[in-house]
Amino acid sequence: MTQLHDSYDLAGLTLPNRVVMAPMTRVRSNPEGLATASTATYYAQRASAGLIVSEGVHPHVEGQSNPLTPGLATDEQAASWVQVTDAVHNHGGRIFAQLMHGGRVGHPDNTGGLQPVGPSAVAAPGRGFTPKGPQDFPTPRALSGDEVVEHAASYGEAAARGIGAGFDGVELHGANGYLIAQFLSSNANLRTDSYGGSIENRVRFAVEATAGAVEKVGGHRVGIRLSPDSGIWGVEETESRELYLALLEQLSPLGLAYVHLEATTDDDTLLALRKAWDGTLIMNPARPGGPTPAGPEDARRWLDNGADLISFGRAFIANPDLVERLRDGLPLAEADPATFYAGGDRGYIDYPTYRA
């Protein structure tokens, strides 16, 4: 029986356990999108995870979703991550960068005046974070055909910068209503060209972005995160199960390190996707916005259902030693939601280990 603390061979990268630190936005970069010394401390504190997936890192200057989020869109931003990857490796860890293009989920105040872009000129519902406080999402500029190719290629270019900065791999953020998910969508994507309409067309951007990253750094260094039926930021998907089965079929020949699924839909669909994907599967069992973070029982259930690795999000915020607490049956500390996106070191690098 697979155990959470068994080792695992992830495409040649040896993980000492099957606990993955899930990507979580923490808005702690500097205004230029550079990782900081505190970023290095934060991830190094959690290096006992089998694998860390970083917070969302924008691969293109037009892809920044929130203020004070770091990037891999420029060489300067990439150089700022070296201190982070060095710190994680020096503490015995492994880290992938999550490449997150916000698409229509953004605001000109976050990108130096650049208009958000998307598959179509359809605004996301709700309000987003900006330096001036919450503001309505503007209508994005619909990408031209040539621009679609450019933005798909940006994932590969950022992947190359990330590997150059010392990351062990990259994860494309294809979930939670951001750009890849917008192309998969049937209400955010109203295109009539080869990137919209049919299932075959709607998965094209995701496949091309992933293939571009594989071409740059190799499939063993590339994963993708997906959230079927999440509804986050107003994204809807018709024929959802068929859509994601078609996507996995096209991703399969690329030799990816893993697919990372969120438990955003019914278990039957998730199990169908597990059956269809014969590679490594990371499962994040916590429902987005749910009242409690995922725990050991959730991990056990999904390991029994065929997941290879289990990712934990909120539990890692207040428990830098989460792996040890899970292993030894120790109580978990609760994080303070008021500091999730507050900036500064409080609620970021000041949570103690259990032994401390």
Side-chain angles (χ1 to χ4, degrees):
M1 182 180 295
T2 300
Q3 300 294 328
L4 193 59
H5 298 280
D6 291 346
S7 63
Y8 188 77
D9 182 346
L10 179 67
L13 185 66
T14 300
L15 312 186
N17 58 70
R18 298 176 184 237
V19 178
V20 176
M21 178 176 168
M24 292 175 286
T25 297
R26 301 307 309 275
V27 293
R28 256 79 173 192
S29 79
N30 77 358
E32 287 72 44
L34 306 182
T36 68
S38 291
T39 313
T41 298
Y42 172 71
Y43 287 113
Q45 287 173 339
R46 291 152 178 83
S48 59
L51 178 68
I52 293 171
V53 184
S54 80
E55 63 210 274
V57 181
H58 50 274
H60 192 286
V61 292
E62 292 179 317
Q64 183 173 356
S65 178
N66 296 303
L68 298 180
T69 54
L72 276 170
T74 68
D75 290 343
E76 183 184 15
Q77 290 173 340
S80 75
W81 282 102
V82 173
Q83 63 187 315
V84 180
T85 58
D86 281 352
V88 170
H89 292 148
N90 289 340
H91 283 76
R94 297 135 300 276
I95 183 168
F96 274 39
Q98 189 191 61
L99 305 179
M100 181 185 124
H101 191 309
R104 69 177 188 168
V105 181
H107 195 279
D109 287 353
N110 298 337
T111 57
L114 297 173
Q115 187 77 358
V117 298
S120 302
V122 180
R127 314 184 85 193
F129 295 107
T130 78
K132 300 175 183 176
Q135 297 192 59
D136 292 341
F137 290 115
T139 299
R141 179 174 60 79
L143 293 167
S144 70
D146 288 344
E147 287 177 319
V148 171
V149 174
E150 172 196 336
H151 283 259
S154 73
Y155 291 89
E157 293 160 0
R161 292 189 195 97
I163 298 303
F167 283 102
D168 298 293
V170 299
E171 174 183 286
L172 277 68
H173 196 347
N176 302 146
Y178 297 108
L179 185 62
I180 291 175
Q182 291 159 31
F183 272 93
L184 294 172
S185 169
S186 49
N187 68 337
N189 181 356
L190 305 181
R191 301 179 74 93
T192 57
D193 62 5
S194 61
Y195 290 93
S198 67
I199 284 177
E200 180 183 6
N201 287 353
R202 283 188 281 139
V203 303
R204 189 183 307 275
F205 182 84
V207 173
E208 290 182 358
T210 308
V214 169
E215 182 179 357
K216 291 287 188 180
V217 303
H220 64 295
R221 288 175 165 164
V222 177
I224 187 169
R225 182 169 167 116
L226 304 170
S227 60
D229 290 324
S230 74
I232 296 174
W233 297 126
V235 160
E236 298 175 3
E237 300 151 348
T238 58
E239 303 172 285
S240 174
R241 185 180 299 195
E242 293 78 9
L243 175 75
Y244 283 93
L245 287 171
L247 175 58
L248 293 184
E249 182 180 9
Q250 293 205 38
L251 293 177
S252 184
L254 298 178
L256 301 185
Y258 63 79
V259 164
H260 189 174
L261 285 181
E262 293 187 31
T264 48
T265 189
D266 62 275
D267 284 0
D268 287 344
T269 295
L270 295 170
L271 291 171
L273 297 179
R274 163 69 285 187
K275 184 177 179 180
W277 180 254
D278 60 4
T280 295
L281 179 73
I282 303 175
M283 175 57 70
N284 187 305
R287 300 287 175 177
T292 58
E297 299 80 9
D298 304 293
R300 173 77 272 147
R301 182 168 70 89
W302 278 107
L303 287 172
D304 290 346
N305 280 325
D308 300 295
L309 305 168
I310 305 296
S311 67
F312 296 84
R314 282 175 291 167
F316 258 114
I317 292 178
N319 299 277
D321 56 341
L322 179 64
V323 171
E324 292 78 10
R325 295 194 194 215
L326 293 174
R327 182 192 64 210
D328 298 336
L330 300 172
L332 301 185
E334 293 187 11
D336 177 9
T339 64
F340 284 178
Y341 315 113
D345 288 347
R346 189 171 73 87
Y348 188 51
I349 60 173
D350 59 351
Y351 285 108
T353 63
Y354 184 83
R355 303 302 178 190

